[in-house]
Amino acid sequence: MNTMSMRRMIGAGWKNFARGGAVSVATVVIMTVTLGIISSLIFLSALLSFTLDFVRDQVDISVSFVTTASEHDILALKSKIELLPQVKSVTYTTREQVLADFRAFHATDQTILQGLEQLGDNPFGAYLGIKAKDPSQYESISSTLETTPALSAGGASIIDRINYKQNKITIDNLSKAIAVTRSGGLIIVILFALASVMIALATVQLAIYTAKDEIGVMRLVGASNAYIRGPFIVAGVITGILATLAVLIALFPIAWYIGTKTAGLLNGFNIFSYYTSHFFIILIILLVSGVCLGGLASILAIRRYLKV
């Protein structure tokens, strides 16, 4: 097909789209909603992944010691843990620092502070915070600690508790929530995509009916099937492109507003920064989705309503 034929086909596609009138507008609107949901799912997926990484980064294995554990025994265990290949770092917090942190956290609660004073002695034990090189390695580190008891010189265990299991439950629950959210979002996208295709089918059907005389003339003059069908496919592609542009234009102020309002609440995740830094990826995803939806609907309608 030469350049002239391609230009005529594109021009005829624009004409078919314009002839659709309100139906074409409705198709663009529904497809815009569909692509808007897809873009929302992109942002939501990025936010959830960012949150999961943030939580994983904050999680460590906290080994709490009994109050009678000596600093010598704790530091000896710390040196052994640091030799494990999975371990990135180990921080030691003394009993005194734990007490000071507790006092600072409850500085405005006089009831708790008075109760602490009545105890007369520091009720807190020291602890070690263990960071793994990779979040997946916390399980093996925890297992190693549980199967290798740390003993004092007198033979008694100096470890009070290891809190990794509680943190693991938090991470697992968050991971499940992310999977469910993504699955639910995908189902919604599919439903709106089907609605877009159905309305686009009606648009192409109307265009075929309106252009039936022109199609008859093209058949008489020997126009190829591709030349006859092409404008209807072009009209579908135009629908996808217009819907993509509408979503991208709408996303700019929406992402800016939400980003400025929620960055502090989302642990530093800024939706607007994500949008600008991933603009071309989002553009490609939406454009491909819109063109494929519009083109697919046109092809289905042509196969059903246009017999050439």
Side-chain angles (χ1 to χ4, degrees), residues 118-259:
Q118 291 177 0
L119 290 175
D121 189 20
N122 185 354
F124 301 105
Y127 71 85
L128 296 178
I130 306 170
K131 286 283 187 182
K133 293 179 180 178
D134 186 271
S136 63
Q137 296 173 329
Y138 280 121
E139 188 77 40
S140 62
I141 295 174
S142 179
S143 299
T144 300
L145 291 172
E146 290 173 351
T147 56
T148 308
L151 305 176
S152 65
S157 174
I158 62 174
I159 294 179
D160 182 24
R161 65 182 181 276
I162 300 173
N163 76 339
Y164 170 66
K165 290 184 177 179
Q166 292 88 339
N167 293 333
K168 183 176 183 297
I169 292 173
T170 300
I171 293 177
D172 290 344
N173 289 339
L174 182 59
S175 300
K176 291 177 182 177
I178 290 173
V180 170
T181 302
R182 287 174 174 169
S183 300
L186 182 60
I187 292 173
I188 294 174
V189 168
I190 291 174
L191 291 176
F192 274 88
L194 290 174
S196 298
V197 171
M198 294 301 294
I199 294 179
L201 282 171
T203 304
V204 177
Q205 180 184 6
L206 177 62
I208 291 173
Y209 177 79
T210 305
K212 61 180 181 180
D213 293 335
E214 296 180 13
I215 294 172
V217 172
M218 285 189 285
R219 286 172 177 164
L220 291 176
V221 299
S224 65
N225 289 342
Y227 186 82
I228 296 174
R229 294 170 175 169
F232 301 103
I233 298 176
V234 169
V237 171
I238 290 172
T239 301
I241 293 174
L242 291 178
T244 301
L245 292 176
V247 172
L248 291 174
I249 293 172
L251 279 177
F252 189 88
I254 293 173
W256 176 84
Y257 180 79
I258 295 177

Side-chain angles (χ1 to χ4, degrees), residues 275-297:
Y275 175 63
T276 53
S277 61
H278 294 77
F279 176 80
F280 288 104
I281 296 176
I282 296 172
L283 168 63
I284 291 172
I285 292 174
L286 295 182
L287 186 60
V288 170
S289 300
V291 169
C292 288
L293 284 174
L296 175 63

Side-chain angles (χ1 to χ4, degrees), residues 50 257-273:
F50 176 87
Y257 180 79
I258 295 177
T260 55
K261 297 294 183 181
T262 62
L265 303 175
L266 301 177
N267 300 316
F269 181 81
N270 190 304
I271 292 178
F272 183 69
S273 298

